[in-house]
Amino acid sequence: MTQNKETTMEGVFFLTGKDFTNAGAASCELKSILEKMEVEHSAIRRAAIAAFEAEMNIIIYTPAGMMKYSITPDHVKVVFQDMGHGIEDIELAMTEGYSTAPDYIREMGFGSGMGLPNIKKNTDEMKISSMPGAGTTLEFIIKLRQEKDNENL
Amino acid sequence: MSLTLAEIKVILNANVITSKFDANIVIERAYSADLMSDVLSFSLTDSLLITGLVDKTVVRTAQVSNIKAIVFARGKVPSKDTVALADEKNIPLMITNYSKYESCGRLYEKGLRNSHDAK
């Protein structure tokens, strides 16, 4: 975790596939960091929920991945890269209710096909790129209010 | 209509299983689901969660969703790890022997409403 000129906070979490004991812990930690930085409450909740969904996807579907975040006064940006088998049809994966999760994942309350749509719903920008066999990169941005700037408009 | 955790405990005849439990916490809405993605998608902040799942991920889902407290329905008992995590994150846990349906019904009857705006 590094902080430049007290304006940008960056860090990375490494995620292990099928590690359900720690599943979601990185997103909870990100939430704590955002709270300490006194980011606005609604942005914290949206970032934490989107990160949690993406983190769960890596835990459920891939052998390993990482979650990199950077927090500036303007935005929260989180990038997820994984070593999974990739998503063949991203448009299909974005459909609410579409899921390839096995039953034991559904029994844990996940894999209902709401993850990617929920990430999109909670973020201001979302990009996803994937190649079968070469993993998936998902990036999202949550814009933060610029109250001081707005006052000058 | 809001209820305190103390009132909810009585209405559901529930047992508190976390060592941290502020009976005066006020709950203004509740949400019930076993799908954690539904909780993440639809619950509103500061809700009570009534669920049949007892995994650690329920506590983490609650943490990121700003859920104030969790009730486990149908007498399901979470692991010690789950309880310890909830204590660490300051999320009170209760167990009721009522089913999810009956738990929701009893709380609704006492005026506690949905945290999901279905309109």
Side-chain angles (χ1 to χ4, degrees):
Chain A
M1 197 154 68
T2 56
Q3 196 166 3
N4 306 323
K5 299 176 188 172
E6 294 182 348
T7 56
T8 301
M9 179 81 89
E10 291 178 324
V12 60
F13 295 101
F14 294 95
L15 309 170
T16 307
K18 309 293 183 288
D19 178 10
F20 293 105
T21 305
N22 293 306
S27 303
C28 289
E29 181 62 28
L30 175 65
K31 185 176 187 234
S32 299
I33 292 165
L34 292 167
E35 283 167 347
K36 277 182 202 147
M37 291 181 76
E38 298 180 343
V39 170
E40 71 221 45
H41 292 293
S42 65
I44 292 176
R45 188 169 190 263
R46 290 197 295 133
I49 287 174
F52 193 93
E53 292 279 20
E55 182 182 352
M56 288 308 298
N57 279 348
I58 290 180
I59 305 284
I60 292 168
Y61 295 107
T62 81
M66 63 168 90
M67 163 178 161
K68 285 190 259 186
Y69 64 88
S70 65
I71 306 158
T72 73
D74 300 325
H75 66 257
V76 180
K77 179 178 169 183
V78 191
V79 181
F80 296 83
Q81 285 174 301
D82 69 53
M83 298 165 63
H85 50 62
I87 301 171
E88 275 188 34
D89 186 337
I90 292 173
E91 200 178 327
L92 185 60
M94 288 297 298
T95 310
E96 283 191 13
Y98 177 80
S99 174
T100 57
D103 285 347
Y104 79 95
I105 297 295
R106 291 172 198 257
E107 282 162 14
M108 293 176 63
F110 289 91
S112 62
M114 291 299 292
L116 291 177
N118 202 18
I119 295 168
K120 191 170 177 62
K121 180 179 130 186
N122 278 287
T123 56
D124 295 305
E125 288 174 30
M126 171 185 165
K127 282 184 221 163
I128 182 164
S129 60
S130 186
M131 289 273 286
T136 300
T137 300
L138 185 150
E139 174 184 321
F140 68 72
I141 289 174
I142 289 173
K143 293 176 184 165
L144 302 178
R145 270 187 230 121
Q146 295 289 294
E147 286 175 16
K148 283 178 188 169
D149 289 352
N150 289 343
E151 280 170 13
N152 298 330
L153 288 175
Chain B
M1 178 75 185
S2 57
L3 296 170
T4 63
L5 283 188
E7 290 170 321
I8 290 167
K9 181 179 180 303
V10 172
I11 293 164
L12 298 180
N13 195 17
N15 291 321
V16 176
I17 53 169
T18 39
S19 55
K20 288 181 193 162
F21 183 78
D22 179 355
N24 297 318
I25 287 176
V26 175
I27 300 288
E28 293 184 349
R29 46 191 169 238
Y31 190 76
S32 180
D34 283 351
L35 286 175
M36 292 300 106
S37 274
D38 277 359
V39 178
L40 294 162
S41 300
F42 301 120
S43 70
L44 297 180
T45 192
D46 295 334
S47 302
L48 173 78
L49 173 65
I50 302 138
T51 184
L53 282 192
V54 292
D55 295 311
K56 249 180 164 179
T57 45
V58 175
V59 175
R60 294 213 169 96
T61 302
Q63 195 195 346
V64 298
S65 307
N66 294 346
I67 297 284
K68 271 192 172 172
I70 304 171
V71 174
F72 296 116
R74 212 165 48 74
K76 285 191 178 177
V77 182
S79 68
K80 282 181 184 170
D81 282 358
T82 301
V83 178
L85 182 66
D87 262 325
E88 185 191 320
K89 304 299 179 190
N90 236 341
I91 299 173
L93 304 180
M94 287 186 269
I95 300 177
T96 178
N97 282 327
Y98 293 122
S99 67
K100 274 191 298 171
Y101 176 74
E102 183 147 8
S103 302
C104 296
R106 282 172 180 267
L107 294 173
Y108 197 92
E109 191 180 47
K110 297 291 181 185
L112 195 63
R113 291 298 183 253
N114 199 351
S115 91
H116 169 215
D117 186 0
K119 284 172 199 166

